[in-house]
Amino acid sequence: MTQQNGMQGMKPGHLPRESRSFGKGRVCVEPGCEKVLSQYNRLNKCWAHADMKIPRLRGRKPAQEAL
Ligand SMILES: [Zn+2]
């Protein structure tokens, strides 16, 4: 027997009302930042100022240091 993994066509977050959006023309609330937010961005900050913390490279890359 073969079971299909996922791919059932149900997209999470699919809202019944397509007119329901976060608004267009919003800008980042960060002072000095005029980054226009995407209507799909539920945050009020741009991706750069959002809570997303970009992992900084700690030390050096372990692989392919020397060819
Ligand atoms: Zn910003």
Side-chain angles (χ1 to χ4, degrees):
M1 293 181 178
T2 58
Q3 289 182 340
Q4 294 181 350
N5 297 334
M7 300 296 289
Q8 294 181 350
M10 294 184 64
K11 296 180 181 178
H14 183 75
L15 300 176
R17 295 182 181 179
E18 56 183 290
S19 61
R20 183 78 177 257
S21 63
F22 299 105
K24 295 180 181 179
R26 297 177 305 148
V27 293
C28 180
V29 296
E30 196 73 14
C33 181
E34 297 181 352
K35 181 74 174 183
V36 178
L37 302 179
S38 172
Q39 58 177 324
Y40 302 106
N41 187 355
R42 65 178 61 185
L43 303 176
N44 52 4
K45 292 182 180 180
C46 68
W47 296 116
H49 292 123
D51 205 11
M52 289 175 52
K53 294 181 180 179
I54 302 176
R56 302 179 67 178
L57 295 177
R58 300 173 62 181
R60 57 187 177 183
K61 292 183 179 180
Q64 295 182 359
E65 180 67 20
L67 293 174

